[in-house]
Amino acid sequence: ADGPPSEPRFHRRSRAQDGRPIPLVNPAQDNEEPFVVVIRVNTHCSLACLYCGFSRDVRRSRTAIDPQTLLRFARSLLDYQQSTGRSVLVSLLGGGPFQWWAWETVSLQLAQLGLKVSATTNGLALEDPRSAKQVIQRFDEITFSIDG
């Protein structure tokens, strides 16, 4: 990787309105924004939002990801982060990610690996002071879904 920086690469078919090719983003040069990976950790939810396929009122099988599967994938994301210099944000969602039985352990392990951790939640689980404290300590970002 020594030597002059590589020439920019371009989309083959994408062109600006003036006809110039549009350059591809080089992740190694784009260290400002994290690479976001969204992982649905379960399909359980305590709410009954009319628009949502994960509503508690929707009749469907409810599943959850195996924590070890997620952590194996996280190690690949760590390799990406280390090889590119671009931070990785692992965003947990569901259903309700805080209804997943392994969220506490997995979020701690993701943070210990050096990955950023995020979740999208309806916020109900954070009424529990213990859960709220753990989220504050371990999560880099929380998105609250209030459209239900």
Side-chain angles (χ1 to χ4, degrees):
D2 292 326
S6 61
E7 291 295 316
R9 297 179 319 189
F10 296 90
H11 291 278
R12 291 181 191 262
R13 286 179 263 155
S14 299
R15 301 236 173 228
Q17 287 183 343
D18 65 3
R20 288 180 294 148
I22 299 173
L24 292 170
V25 174
N26 181 349
Q29 295 172 354
D30 187 16
N31 293 336
E32 297 300 317
E33 295 294 323
F35 180 71
V36 178
V37 179
V38 178
I39 300 174
R40 184 170 315 279
V41 295
N42 73 16
T43 57
H44 300 78
C45 186
S46 58
L47 296 181
C49 302
L50 295 176
Y51 66 89
C52 185
F54 298 102
S55 163
R56 68 172 183 243
D57 290 344
V58 174
R59 300 192 97 148
R60 64 176 297 164
S61 63
R62 303 295 174 154
T63 60
I65 191 170
D66 172 60
Q68 293 308 312
T69 300
L70 192 154
L71 291 169
R72 278 192 303 276
F73 180 60
R75 286 188 268 289
S76 297
L77 295 174
L78 180 62
D79 290 342
Y80 171 84
Q81 179 174 281
Q82 292 171 339
S83 68
T84 64
R86 186 174 182 188
S87 65
V88 174
L89 175 73
V90 178
S91 182
L92 309 178
L93 50 100
F98 298 122
Q99 290 181 303
W100 180 42
W101 64 271
W103 79 264
E104 295 175 42
T105 303
V106 170
S107 63
L108 176 62
Q109 290 175 318
L110 292 171
Q112 288 173 338
L113 282 173
L115 299 170
K116 294 183 178 187
V117 185
S118 170
T120 299
T121 177
N122 59 34
L124 295 179
L126 303 179
E127 290 178 336
D128 172 43
R130 184 181 156 278
S131 294
K133 182 178 179 181
Q134 288 185 11
V135 167
I136 290 168
Q137 291 172 343
R138 297 179 189 165
F139 284 71
D140 296 280
E141 176 181 283
I142 295 292
T143 302
F144 290 96
S145 174
I146 58 171
D147 54 354

